Amino acid sequence: MLTISPLKAAYPGKPIKIIIGFPAGGPLDAHLRLLVERLQTSLGQTVIVDYKAGAGGAVGAQFVAQSPPDGYTVLLANTGTMVINPVIYTKSSYDTLKDFQPIARTAQQPLALIVNKDVPTNTLKEFVTYAKANPGKLNYGSAGNGGISHLVPEMLKSETGIDMVHILFKGSAPAFTDLIAGHVQFMAESVPQAANYAKQDKVKALAVTSAKRNPVLPNTPTVIETGVANLAVVGFYGILAPKGTPPEVVNKLSQAFKEILESPEVQKKMIDQGADPAYLNADQFTKFLIDEMPRWAKAVK
């Protein structure tokens, strides 16, 4: 008797889960919220956002790396998770290039250097002078050990000679809570989050880390403009799947993100948030990661 196997169901045949390695309410969460509804329409499936916070995004990354490579569990990650953590932690629980299949880069993201509104400084130059007069008395918060929000203040410290104490949080949202409350005085965080709080007069934005000013904070100079440090840093966001995910699944997901990111409405909303739409397909994103890792390794050293 001849047995004919049923045809393999077309992808996606069930809900897709996108993992974020940080708590809800942070910049990655805000970025994904812009895309999820359109992604569901494009793929014809429910998309579930799941938060697995901890270790600068490493908990979520490890979870995805160990998930079945079928396209139903993917990761939205940032610079810290994908290219900084593996450099800092020689015993990292995952290897970006060996354990993941890049799907699409979705955005590039400058940071803003911000302070609690009661800190008696209004410019980065004034802040550096103030920090030098109070060595070890100022705290800065980060969204995770080894992430970009940790590394940028350390780069600033190295270039200016100031001394601040690092306070580690499990994501941007709790770090912002303590910044606004005054438990930490300084942060380097994504422009969308920083601009939102600055416009509410809850924090003061002193500088942005991009090479040119950001349209969301047009009156905020770049770090280079301030003359304080030669610091220009732009992070990225991107979608990755477990290694071994079938090429047709990778291509379908990547194409869906491409179509969404080419939407003028989405682009405007992203720019209004302070992010730059910066789609790369799977091959381009892979090459981008290969190029980024040694650049950040140098910065970490």
Side-chain angles (χ1 to χ4, degrees):
M1 181 179 176
L2 179 64
T3 303
I4 301 174
S5 300
L7 289 174
K8 197 173 184 179
Y11 174 87
K14 62 181 181 180
I16 296 163
K17 188 179 288 186
I18 300 180
I19 305 298
I20 297 178
F22 298 93
L28 277 171
D29 188 23
H31 174 64
L32 187 56
R33 294 294 168 187
L34 279 180
L35 310 179
V36 163
E37 188 176 332
R38 289 172 177 82
L39 188 63
Q40 292 183 140
T41 301
S42 176
L43 295 174
Q45 268 296 348
T46 301
V47 175
I48 300 162
V49 181
D50 192 7
Y51 309 93
K52 297 193 181 296
V59 171
Q62 184 180 6
F63 178 84
V64 173
Q66 295 174 345
S67 296
D70 54 13
Y72 290 104
T73 304
V74 299
L75 178 73
L76 174 62
N78 60 13
T79 308
T81 305
M82 289 293 100
V83 301
I84 300 176
N85 281 0
V87 172
I88 290 180
Y89 304 111
T90 53
K91 293 183 179 178
S92 175
S93 57
Y94 59 90
D95 182 301
T96 299
L97 299 174
K98 290 181 180 177
D99 294 335
F100 292 94
Q101 167 59 58
I103 300 287
R105 189 183 72 181
T106 57
Q108 288 196 292
Q109 183 66 74
L111 281 74
L113 306 185
I114 51 180
V115 293
N116 171 272
K117 63 183 178 63
D118 294 327
V119 173
T121 61
N122 294 306
T123 68
L124 187 58
K125 201 163 194 173
E126 289 175 358
F127 178 77
V128 169
T129 300
Y130 179 69
K132 285 182 176 178
N134 295 276
K137 294 180 181 178
L138 300 179
N139 299 326
Y140 78 87
S142 83
N145 214 20
I148 195 167
S149 63
H150 175 200
L151 199 56
V152 166
E154 289 299 325
M155 293 162 82
L156 183 69
K157 285 169 61 177
S158 177
E159 289 212 27
T160 61
I162 62 176
D163 178 18
M164 296 187 290
V165 179
H166 178 210
I167 306 297
L168 173 67
F169 294 87
K170 285 188 175 181
S172 296
F176 266 109
T177 299
D178 270 20
L179 177 72
I180 292 166
H183 303 309
V184 298
Q185 289 74 44
F186 179 92
M187 277 181 66
E189 255 305 338
S190 70
V191 166
Q193 295 280 92
N196 179 40
Y197 288 113
K199 287 171 182 175
Q200 297 176 48
D201 292 323
K202 291 182 177 179
V203 301
K204 291 186 280 190
L206 305 182
V208 292
T209 65
S210 44
K212 59 183 181 180
R213 293 195 183 197
N214 192 281
V216 178
L217 292 168
N219 298 320
T220 303
T222 68
V223 176
I224 292 173
E225 274 184 88
T226 69
V228 165
N230 185 31
L231 182 64
V233 177
V234 177
F236 70 87
Y237 298 158
I239 298 287
L240 303 99
K243 199 73 166 182
T245 299
E248 62 273 17
V249 171
V250 171
N251 292 337
K252 185 154 189 175
L253 279 172
S254 190
Q255 187 63 30
F257 279 104
K258 179 177 187 288
E259 290 170 4
I260 293 164
L261 292 165
E262 285 177 347
S263 157
E265 184 185 357
V266 170
Q267 290 189 359
K268 183 182 183 304
K269 285 182 177 179
M270 283 179 65
I271 291 166
D272 287 347
Q273 280 191 345
D276 297 319
Y279 171 79
L280 292 178
N281 66 26
D283 291 341
Q284 292 165 335
F285 189 21
T286 300
K287 183 181 184 304
F288 172 80
L289 289 171
I290 291 169
D291 292 341
E292 282 287 280
M293 295 189 83
R295 190 169 80 85
W296 279 102
K298 184 179 178 183
V300 167
K301 285 181 182 179

